[in-house]
Each structure stands twice: as C-alpha cells, then as structure tokens.
C-alpha cells in the first residue's frame, strides 16, 4: 500500500512525478514510513486496547465472531453476514477516512483520485476509522466520508473496501451497487450529525504520557468537546485535509503556512484577544489587593469602573498621539465592560461555572486554549511540522500555568473570553456550549481535569 516503500524511494518517486504548486514545503521534516496504520494483532485474543470507543466495539464484534462455532457452512456464512452488518452499522454512525496522495485530492470530492488496489479478490480501496489514523504524513493525507458519501463517490469499478487493514479489526466488504444501497440505508438509519458534537472523547492508547505535552493538549478540551474531537490526540486529522483547510480559512483566514505561523504566534503571545479585556480584569485585581484582602468579588463595582477610567486616561496621557476621534466612545466601551463582566460572572455562579465566592481573574485562557488547538489544526492541515505543533502546545502549557491557578479558573477565563467575543450577553449557543463543556470536564472521570494536574511538578518531562 502507500506506506510500503522506504522514505528515500518514496521521496524520489514524488520528485519524479512532480508536485502541485501548493506543496507542503515543510513536509520533508515529517516524512516517515508509517504512512498508513500498522497495528500488530495481539497474540492473546481479546487483549488489544483499542484507541477509542468505536474501535473497541469493532474489536468486540470480531473477537466474538472469531471465538464462535457453527454447525455447518450455512450457519457460518449467516454469522459472517451478521458480523458484516453489525460492523457496517457501527461505521454508519461515524465518519470513515480514505487515504489520498497529497496531489490527488481536492476540496471537490468529485475531483479526487482514489487509490485502487488490484488484488486477487478484486479492486479495493482502503478505508479507516478515525482512532487508527497515524501521525500526519506530508505526502499522504486522509479525507473523511460518511458511509453514504462513500457509496456515492467511490468509482463504479471498485469491487470492495478494505476497512482497517493491518490492524486487529480488519474487514473486507463488497462495494457493488446492491451493497452501496445498503450503505445508504444504514446511513439514513444511524447517522446523527448533532450526535457527534458536544461530547468528551478521550483516547485510550497512543497518547502522550503525563507532562507538558499532554497538559498543553488538555488546554484545548473545551473546543475538542464542542467538535467531538479527542482532547489527548497528538496526531490530529480532524475532519480530513479539505475540511480542515476550509475551516481554517473560514474562521481564521488561514490558507497557508505563513498565515498559520502568524496566527499561532499571536495566540501564544495573547495578542488576538483585545488588550483591554485583561486591562479591566487587572484593574479589579489591583483594587482587591489594596482594599479587600485580594477578594475579587468584594470589589465595589463603582470603584472598579472609576479605577478603569482613571487608569485608561493615565495610560493614554503617556501617548497622546494615539488618541483618535472615537476616544471618548472607546473609554465608555471599556468602562462598560465592568458591568458586562459582572453580569456574566453572576450567570456563571448561578450555573455552577464559577464557585459562589469566585471571580474571573484573567481571560488569558481564551487565547491560550485556542493556541493549543491552532497548533493541532496547523499540523493536520500540513501548514506546520510535528515539532512546531509540539513546541506550540508545550509553550501554551507554560503560559496557562503562569496565567491561571486551576482547571476551573482556566475554564472560567476561557468561557468569559468566548462570551465577550461572540455571545453579546444573549447567553445563547456560544455560552451554552461552554457551560456544557465545563460541566462534563468537571465531572467525567476521563476528563483531563481528573487525570492531568493543572500544576505540573517542576522538572516534569515533556511526555512522549
């Protein structure tokens, strides 16, 4: 298959065949031979630790079938059909991923060139479930499909699909016209677009050990929850190359490596969130240290507003040339943030996102949490190297520990930042998603808040 040749030969082949104009210029640094999954089958049946729930379910199906005994060939064939149907039903409720050579894919599914293998049992296309995808490769990428889309888009002359080949859960399935109709019907029965979002996904294998890398990945848990992605996955593929490019362009204006580098650096420097959000919160901290023994919630709102305005005007007096015609309007807006923060905090406390005696110290988490995700997004989009992704995630880990005191403190800052950015005090979807994420992260035993200490011990290793 794709990963069967050594990297030297593969690189030479790509140089001979030519590359597209948007070649992954940093890709050579990430060239590796494990382009496709290659997971050994354990000697003892039933002992494999699958990476995710779907793979564990498929392993259970295959293990039980392998241990079965049947009276005759007809019964055996019937059992095989039941296994195939159960396997397909599981695939129908999730996405599957198809590998493509980098220059043979396209945002338009109709223009993609499927790699078809001529085998003794017919012409086959390789398909994988998400939990088995290897670390991103520069010359080989994955695109996601629903089972219905796969039925529609596979070339007509393809005889079958080899699902999760060279893993403990392989399955060979026919792909003739009749079978594709079954795929479409199963999709209609089992697919739930909303069911894949707002869920905590924790991989059970293939994840970093405890250290700054795992801690930095955990900082993106809010967004991973919203999108239904595994928070501890260091090998991000997301929804496949084309959709990841589309999402980065839509939400961030990132269409290439230079833009990714710029946004990633600005997030790590906390330079995307407006500076005056933190300015307002720091003004309350200063008042609390002087007058209320450090208790933020005890700071008088009128005094806080007055202090914000005074500090803002004093700051502007040092650079009068920067004062524009909208200065007074800007001052009113910044002072008005005091009331907005207080109202959000009141709702946070009522909903349990903040403790009764707590307040938001910083919104640094809003940029830092997104920096953790941007590193993975850039890596999955092939705009960043693996080393750059890891370095950015580790840097985010250090920044979060410097700016926040706990996972709950980080979460409150992230939620407030997101609400100030999007919600406009409507307490709508932008807020409700954060509340749901906070509640799940605070209670589930496989949450990073329960498994990764917010304060890492000094000298902790990176985490392999």
């Amino acid at each position: 298959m794709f990963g069967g040749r050594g990297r030297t030969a593969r690189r030479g082949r790509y140089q001979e065949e030519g590359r597209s104009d948007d070649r992954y210029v940093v890709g050579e640094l990430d060239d590796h031979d494990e382009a496709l999954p290659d997971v050994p089958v354990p000697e003892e049946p039933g002992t494999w630790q699958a990476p995710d729930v779907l793979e564990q379910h498929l392993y259970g199906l295959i293990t039980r079938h392998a241990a079965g005994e049947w009276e005759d060939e007809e019964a055996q064939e019937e059992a095989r059909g039941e296994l195939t149907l159960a396997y397909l039903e599981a695939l129908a409720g999730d996405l599957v991923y198809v590998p493509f050579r980098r220059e043979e894919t396209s945002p338009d599914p109709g223009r993609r060139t499927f790699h078809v293998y001529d085998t003794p049992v017919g012409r086959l296309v390789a398909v994988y479930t998400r939990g088995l995808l290897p670390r991103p490769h520069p010359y080989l990428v994955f695109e996601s499909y629903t089972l219905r889309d796969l039925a529609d888009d596979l070339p007509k002359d393809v005889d079958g699909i080899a699902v999760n080949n060279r893993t403990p859960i392989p399955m060979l399935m026919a792909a003739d016209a009749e079978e594709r109709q079954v795929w479409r019907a199963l999709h209609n029965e089992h697919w739930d677009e909303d069911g894949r979002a707002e869920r905590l996904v924790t991989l059970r294998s293939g994840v970093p050990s405890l250290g700054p890398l795992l801690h930095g990945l955990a900082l993106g848990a809010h967004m991973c929850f919203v999108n239904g992605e595994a928070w501890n996955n260091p090998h991000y593929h997301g929804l496949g190359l084309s959709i990841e490019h589309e999402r980065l362009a839509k939400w961030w204006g990132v269409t290439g490596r230079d833009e990714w580098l710029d946004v990633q650096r600005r997030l790590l420097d906390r330079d995307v969130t407006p500076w005056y959000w933190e300015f307002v919160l720091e003004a309350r901290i200063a008042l609390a240290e002087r007058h209320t023994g450090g208790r933020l919630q005890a700071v008088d709102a009128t005094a806080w507003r007055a202090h914000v305005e005074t500090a803002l005007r004093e700051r502007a007096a040092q650079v009068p040339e920067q004062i524009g015609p909208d200065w007074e309007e800007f001052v009113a807006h910044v002072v008005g943030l005091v009331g907005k923060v207080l109202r959000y905090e009141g709702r946070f406390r009522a909903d349990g996102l903040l403790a009764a005696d707590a307040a938001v110290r910083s919104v640094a988490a809003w940029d830092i949490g997104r920096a953790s995700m941007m590193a993975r997004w850039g890596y999955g989009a092939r705009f960043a190297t693996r080393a750059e992704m890891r370095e950015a995630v580790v840097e985010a880990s250090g920044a979060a520990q410097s700016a926040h005191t706990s996972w709950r403190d980080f979460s409150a800052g992230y939620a407030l930042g997101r609400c100030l950015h999007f919600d406009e005090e409507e307490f709508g979807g932008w807020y409700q998603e954060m509340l749901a994420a906070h509640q799940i992260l605070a209670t589930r035993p496989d949450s990073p808040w329960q498994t990764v200490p917010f304060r890492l011990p000094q000298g902790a290793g990176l985490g392999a």
Side-chain angles (χ1 to χ4, degrees), residues 160-222:
I161 56 175
V163 186
N164 293 329
N165 187 45
R166 297 182 65 86
T167 78
I169 50 173
M171 181 65 69
L172 183 64
M173 297 181 174
D176 56 32
E178 183 178 352
E179 285 299 313
R180 296 191 198 198
Q181 282 297 99
V182 173
W183 297 0
R184 296 182 182 100
L186 290 175
H187 169 89
N188 293 337
E189 181 179 352
H190 295 283
W191 179 257
D192 178 6
E193 182 72 40
D194 295 333
R196 300 182 59 257
E198 294 195 32
R199 56 178 181 158
L200 179 66
V201 181
T202 303
L203 294 186
R204 302 168 180 176
S205 62
V207 302
S209 56
L210 182 61
L213 180 59
L214 183 64
H215 182 275
L217 293 173
L219 300 173
H222 291 86

Side-chain angles (χ1 to χ4, degrees), residues 243-263:
I243 296 179
E244 291 304 304
H245 279 188
E246 178 184 334
R247 295 202 293 187
L248 276 172
K250 175 182 178 181
W251 291 101
W252 291 93
V254 170
T255 60
R257 173 169 168 78
D258 289 344
E259 291 163 327
W260 173 81
L261 284 168
D262 176 65
V263 172

Side-chain angles (χ1 to χ4, degrees), residues 220-238:
H222 291 86
M223 188 55 63
C224 287
F225 171 84
V226 169
N227 292 333
E229 298 280 357
W231 67 267
N232 57 346
N233 182 11
H235 307 317
Y236 183 86
H237 290 272

Side-chain angles (χ1 to χ4, degrees), residues 124-350:
L124 305 178
V125 166
V127 175
Y128 298 91
T129 53
R130 184 195 308 227
L132 289 171
L133 299 184
R135 61 187 173 105
H137 190 278
Y139 309 140
L140 180 75
V141 301
F142 289 88
E143 302 285 8
S144 66
Y145 289 82
T146 65
L147 202 56
R148 180 187 62 193
D149 291 339
L150 193 64
D152 293 341
D153 293 347
L154 274 178
K156 302 302 181 185
D157 62 347
V158 168
D159 300 307
I161 56 175
V163 186
N164 293 329
N165 187 45
R166 297 182 65 86
T167 78
I169 50 173
M171 181 65 69
L172 183 64
M173 297 181 174
D176 56 32
E178 183 178 352
E179 285 299 313
R180 296 191 198 198
Q181 282 297 99
V182 173
W183 297 0
R184 296 182 182 100
L186 290 175
H187 169 89
N188 293 337
E189 181 179 352
H190 295 283
W191 179 257
D192 178 6
E193 182 72 40
D194 295 333
R196 300 182 59 257
E198 294 195 32
R199 56 178 181 158
L200 179 66
V201 181
T202 303
L203 294 186
R204 302 168 180 176
S205 62
V207 302
S209 56
L210 182 61
L213 180 59
L214 183 64
H215 182 275
L217 293 173
L219 300 173
H222 291 86
M223 188 55 63
C224 287
F225 171 84
V226 169
N227 292 333
E229 298 280 357
W231 67 267
N232 57 346
N233 182 11
H235 307 317
Y236 183 86
H237 290 272
L239 298 180
L241 184 76
S242 294
I243 296 179
E244 291 304 304
H245 279 188
E246 178 184 334
R247 295 202 293 187
L248 276 172
K250 175 182 178 181
W251 291 101
W252 291 93
V254 170
T255 60
R257 173 169 168 78
D258 289 344
E259 291 163 327
W260 173 81
L261 284 168
D262 176 65
V263 172
Q264 181 70 74
R265 185 69 263 159
R266 290 176 58 217
L267 285 169
L268 288 170
D269 291 342
R270 295 163 51 187
D271 191 34
V272 176
T273 293
W275 62 268
Y276 48 87
W277 292 2
E278 199 75 357
F279 177 83
V280 168
L281 295 174
E282 288 173 350
R284 179 168 60 175
I285 292 173
L287 287 175
E289 290 174 348
R290 293 179 203 168
H291 305 297
T292 64
R295 292 178 296 119
L296 298 182
Q297 196 179 348
V299 171
D300 178 74
T302 301
W304 185 10
R305 292 186 180 92
H307 185 69
V308 166
E309 181 170 358
T310 299
L312 191 60
R313 293 190 185 280
E314 289 176 350
R315 175 173 176 161
Q318 299 174 11
V319 283
E321 66 277 6
Q322 295 185 11
I323 298 178
D326 299 328
W327 168 245
E328 292 300 330
E329 182 179 340
F330 174 70
V331 171
H333 172 72
V334 175
V335 172
L337 284 175
V338 170
K340 184 175 286 191
V341 169
L342 288 171
R343 290 187 291 274
Y344 271 117
E345 287 180 335
R347 180 63 178 268
F348 286 7
R349 294 188 194 99

